[in-house]
Amino acid sequence: MTHLLEIRDLRVTMGPQPILQGVSLDVPAGGIVTVLGSNGVGKTTLMRAISGVYKVGGGEIRLDGTPITNRTTHDIVRLGVCQAPEGRQIFSSMTVLENLRLGAGPRGGREYEQDLERMLGLFPRLRERLSQKAGSLSGGEQQMLCVGRALMGRPRLLLMDEPSLGLAPKLVRQIFDLVATIRETGTAILLVEQNAKAALRVADQAYVMESGRIVLQGPATELAEDPRIRAAYLGGHVH
Amino acid sequence: MFDAFFVQQLVNGFSVGLVYALIAIGFTLIFGVLNVVNFAHGEVYMVGAYAGVVLITAWAPPLIAVVLFVMAVGAVAGFGLERLAFKPFRRFQDEASLKSKAMREATLLSSLAVSIIVREVVEKVFGGAMRPVPFESQLTDPVQIGELSFSTGQFVIFGAAVAMFAGLQFLLYRTRIGLSIRAVANNPLGAKYVGIDTDRTIIATFVVGSVMGAVAGILVALYYGSVFPTMGFAPGVKAFVAMVMGGLSSIPGAVICAIFLGLAEAVATEFLAQGWSEMIAYGFLLLTLIFFPTGLFGGARDRV
Ligand SMILES: Nc1ncnc2c1ncn2[C@@H]1O[C@H](COP(=O)(O)OP(=O)(O)O)[C@@H](O)[C@H]1O
Ligand SMILES: [Mg+2]
């Protein structure tokens, strides 16, 4: 069976330093898969490699069975893989509307208008702020904009890199509700999180990373009960 | 003090300021996108001027044809410059390289190297001396308005400055490529994530900026009546100062400061000996860096 996204033995090296040392994972069409792991284990590197921002040193990334390893980011976006990246990377000195416009890529006209309407239905806060500079939004609004911008690209696969980072608990809940809403539209999601508890609740499958390798994987409900996970990620320290 | 002579000085200073502005526009556009000073911009200006003068000397076509030809030369120069001096340094992605001072300096030096080579080649081919523009093509016909005397070149330069500024604003704020250019200037990584071909956008920026630089070169050459290999240096420095005063990446800020600089130099010749007015720009640069490190217009950090 082929999945929407298949990653096999992925290796990424930065300068002399190996960062990913053979990562394999699958995302089924329409599913939610989460990658857990503490700071610095290589989650963002994995996301950047999938989007073609970092060069891949070995292994393969396939989308619908077709290799996309080391394709350019704009090719990968065009193939339907959009990312809400770490640090949000919104265009802070441009307006909210321009940010969403950029997310839509070359699509214009009625199609774009419809997508925009849909997005503003999903994020009513953004509608009030369309002509405001994106940099003037609150952290939560910026995160919404970041996800909205990625969705404007009509992804088949949405990559989300720690969307709940630095948000107040109420907003964190909103973000995870949003993840569930997006899935209902048929978009598959690869979610990187340090908030393991919330991530395991929305995800179907989960992978745990440690120093550039997958050390544990399985259905999210099973991992939520796994004593190792409970000790390391669901116990005392919450990021 | 406000005698006709003084007003005439202001008029001339304004024209000189517009010349600086013409160069500063392309210069600032490129800086805004790459965050790196393009030291070869003055040479693009010089090459544009030489290309135009060579064409005029050979065929004496109408001004519009000369400008179109120079635009094409500017586009090729911008493309080549980007591939040669800037592209090679964008292939690094590890943090150590991205943050290293050596990398930044290498990019600075590569455009400086290209500028030196281009200047030397032009000097070898055309000689180091001033080369007059054929008289019929010069834009130096006097135009008398009341007590003030203008030249046709001043009007052409004014028109070109307005057209370029307006054209660039249109490009940046009303077209798709302009949207991409602003996105790359604002957040290059974010631009990748929305599927912008950042390499192509950077090339487009160099092409646009260099077309403007080259056109500025030929117009100024026709206005002053001559070209020489080092003609790009002094106005290039002034454009750089205007860019810093304007806040590094604000095109309107750079234009205002360029005109201000031209005016200040003209006024200074009233009070200072000839050679000293050249110090004005450096003085302003120092004062800006010491007292207004983010430019005269406050901390407006908007790129492009
Ligand atoms: N561009 C880079 N250059 C050098 N080292 C990097 C780069 N990106 C990430 N790393 C290193 O790779 C490791 C994993 O980083 P990252 O993927 O950001 O981890 P995570 O997202 O899991 O916190 C860290 O040690 C980090 O310092
Ligand atoms: Mg990370």
Side-chain angles (χ1 to χ4, degrees):
Chain A
M1 175 178 117
T2 67
H3 289 93
L4 177 60
L5 181 75
E6 294 170 325
I7 298 178
R8 292 292 171 270
D9 195 33
L10 192 69
R11 289 162 194 279
V12 173
T13 303
M14 284 293 159
Q17 201 184 352
I19 312 273
L20 296 187
Q21 316 185 37
V23 171
S24 300
L25 64 78
D26 295 316
V27 181
I32 301 182
V33 172
T34 186
V35 175
L36 309 173
S38 18
N39 235 336
V41 298
K43 304 182 300 295
T44 297
T45 302
L46 169 67
M47 296 295 248
R48 290 186 168 182
I50 298 171
S51 280
V53 170
Y54 280 172
K55 210 165 156 310
V56 169
E60 192 160 63
I61 305 171
R62 290 190 290 268
L63 187 69
D64 267 340
T66 315
I68 56 165
T69 327
N70 285 330
R71 297 279 292 269
T72 60
T73 306
H74 53 271
D75 276 349
I76 291 168
V77 169
R78 205 168 315 127
L79 290 169
V81 180
C82 299
Q83 183 166 173
E86 181 179 77
R88 299 179 190 132
Q89 309 298 345
I90 56 170
F91 303 107
S92 56
S93 68
M94 299 172 79
T95 66
V96 169
L97 182 61
E98 283 173 331
N99 271 267
L100 294 172
R101 181 81 198 78
L102 281 160
R107 205 177 315 112
R110 270 188 63 82
E111 256 186 291
Y112 161 71
E113 300 289 339
Q114 283 170 358
D115 286 358
L116 184 63
E117 254 335 287
R118 212 159 38 81
M119 213 49 58
L120 297 177
L122 212 51
F123 307 105
R125 303 275 303 179
L126 295 183
R127 187 191 292 278
E128 303 157 24
R129 293 177 168 38
L130 275 182
S131 54
Q132 231 170 286
K133 294 265 167 75
S136 72
L137 301 182
S138 71
E141 289 163 349
Q142 291 193 12
Q143 189 60 56
M144 298 295 171
L145 178 59
C146 170
V147 175
R149 183 183 73 176
L151 288 175
M152 286 298 284
R154 290 197 177 175
R156 287 191 290 162
L157 173 64
L158 176 65
L159 308 175
M160 301 174 88
D161 195 345
E162 299 208 43
S164 73
L165 191 71
L167 297 186
K170 188 167 151 249
L171 289 168
V172 171
R173 210 168 318 124
Q174 269 185 33
I175 288 281
F176 283 100
D177 287 347
L178 177 65
V179 170
T181 312
I182 294 169
R183 181 241 283 275
E184 280 162 25
T185 66
T187 303
I189 296 170
L190 179 59
L191 173 69
V192 157
E193 262 301 336
Q194 288 197 43
N195 187 337
K197 201 168 167 182
L200 287 172
R201 212 175 296 135
V202 292
D204 312 320
Q205 289 285 319
Y207 293 81
V208 178
M209 260 179 95
E210 260 170 41
S211 49
R213 289 191 176 85
I214 302 288
V215 292
L216 211 58
Q217 67 185 79
T221 45
E222 272 173 39
L223 284 202
E225 301 303 321
D226 192 296
R228 285 166 294 179
I229 296 286
R230 297 186 73 88
Y233 301 104
L234 301 177
H237 72 284
V238 178
H239 291 273
Chain B
M1 168 162 179
F2 278 84
D3 54 5
F5 176 73
F6 185 71
V7 176
Q8 182 70 54
Q9 287 289 73
L10 289 183
V11 166
N12 295 344
F14 186 70
S15 311
V16 172
L18 286 176
V19 170
Y20 300 159
L22 282 179
I23 306 169
I25 290 174
F27 204 35
T28 309
L29 176 69
I30 291 171
F31 182 88
V33 166
L34 279 190
N35 214 355
V36 173
V37 175
N38 170 20
F39 275 118
H41 196 66
E43 273 57 47
V44 171
Y45 164 92
M46 180 267 289
V47 164
Y50 268 87
V53 169
V54 166
L55 182 73
I56 290 170
T57 313
W59 286 297
L63 180 61
I64 183 72
V66 175
V67 169
L68 287 175
F69 174 71
V70 169
M71 285 174 86
V73 170
V76 173
F79 179 83
L81 176 63
E82 200 280 328
R83 292 289 94 167
L84 215 61
F86 292 90
K87 170 85 199 284
F89 297 97
R90 278 207 307 279
R91 66 179 188 275
F92 301 97
Q93 51 181 356
D94 59 301
E95 262 153 31
S97 305
L98 292 178
K99 288 204 178 117
S100 88
K101 272 203 154 128
M103 274 296 302
R104 278 191 68 80
E105 277 155 20
T107 316
L108 283 181
L109 291 179
S110 69
S111 72
L112 191 60
V114 168
S115 80
I116 293 170
I117 292 168
V118 169
R119 212 183 311 141
E120 291 295 323
V121 167
V122 169
E123 194 171 326
K124 281 278 167 301
V125 175
F126 296 98
M130 284 218 184
R131 199 181 162 84
V133 176
F135 191 72
E136 323 74 67
S137 302
Q138 289 185 14
L139 295 172
T140 44
D141 300 342
V143 179
Q144 196 69 25
I145 300 181
E147 280 189 74
L148 300 176
S149 52
F150 298 84
S151 75
T152 41
Q154 287 175 319
F155 291 102
V156 169
I157 283 173
F158 181 75
V162 171
M164 275 192 203
F165 185 73
L168 189 59
Q169 294 302 309
F170 179 84
L171 181 87
L172 287 176
Y173 290 93
R174 292 278 179 275
T175 68
R176 201 146 183 96
I177 182 71
L179 189 67
S180 300
I181 289 175
R182 286 189 297 134
V184 174
N186 186 193
N187 186 341
L189 181 56
K192 282 194 173 180
Y193 281 119
V194 295
I196 290 174
D197 187 339
T198 47
D199 257 1
R200 240 181 51 190
T201 308
I202 289 170
I203 292 176
T205 309
F206 267 86
V207 167
V208 171
S210 302
V211 164
M212 294 190 162
V215 171
I218 184 60
L219 294 182
V220 174
L222 297 180
Y223 169 48
Y224 288 135
S226 63
V227 292
F228 52 100
T230 55
M231 66 182 279
F233 181 73
V237 169
K238 310 297 168 64
F240 174 75
V241 173
M243 176 174 89
V244 174
M245 286 170 72
L248 280 178
S249 37
S250 155
I251 290 171
V255 168
I256 292 170
C257 291
I259 293 171
F260 175 69
L261 204 57
L263 287 173
E265 286 181 355
V267 172
T269 51
E270 277 278 82
F271 305 107
L272 303 173
Q274 181 66 63
W276 284 93
S277 72
E278 282 297 301
M279 297 299 291
I280 295 284
Y282 299 101
F284 277 134
L285 180 61
L286 268 180
L287 291 178
T288 306
L289 290 176
I290 294 170
F291 296 108
F292 305 96
T294 57
L296 296 186
F297 303 106
R301 297 301 303 149
D302 278 18
R303 301 278 220 79
V304 183

